Amino acid sequence: MRSVTLAALATCFPLLAHAQQLTATELSLGAAAAMARQTFVGAALGVAHRPSAESRLGLDLAGGSVAGQAAARAQLTLQLLVNPATRTGLGMYAGFGAAFTARRGAPGQGFLAVLLGVEQTPGRRQGWYAELGLAGGVRAAAGWRMRSFPRWWRAS
């Protein structure tokens, strides 16, 4: 009986190891624009962490201009990933959170942020992304995302 139990555990161990949570740390570089009464256009830097396979917490910081004046935007979102482990094809995600915008000579403003996004091969180390959403106007962003996965994911 003991040998049967050990054999069953030995057979299931690779399946259990493969069922580990897919976490990742991500860095993105790109461009962002928010179209409202006055349009923001700028370069964006993002950092994100996937605490589980289906979610990502992302912080995007953008510097640029509004009506010829220096401006900055920050956006913090919780994103839900539809197919986070795919190594071929596209991954889709949706997110919600908060955004803040500031520019010289005007008070800062906070907004509710919602977004829909698509990214290339979210289960691989890098790929492009594109987002469209609402955060103080219609917001669009696109760029390149680099990911760091746990060692066990890279080995498979």
Side-chain angles (χ1 to χ4, degrees), residues 22-130:
L22 178 60
T23 62
T25 302
E26 302 176 341
L27 177 68
S28 59
L29 301 169
M35 289 70 71
R37 272 185 298 167
Q38 296 182 330
T39 300
F40 170 87
V41 177
L45 171 69
V47 62
H49 178 69
R50 293 188 199 176
S52 69
E54 293 85 21
S55 65
R56 172 170 48 215
L57 184 61
L59 173 64
D60 293 312
L61 304 173
S65 67
V66 171
Q69 295 181 348
R73 287 183 63 92
Q75 181 169 289
L76 180 65
T77 55
L78 174 61
Q79 301 168 10
L80 305 173
L81 310 172
V82 176
N83 49 351
T86 187
R87 294 184 184 195
T88 60
L90 300 177
M92 296 175 53
Y93 57 95
F96 64 94
F100 180 80
T101 186
R103 69 178 175 129
R104 179 168 278 172
Q109 293 180 299
F111 305 100
L112 177 66
V114 294
L115 65 91
L116 292 174
V118 63
E119 60 188 336
Q120 179 187 27
T121 60
R124 291 210 182 264
R125 293 183 56 91
Q126 57 186 338
W128 57 264
Y129 71 94

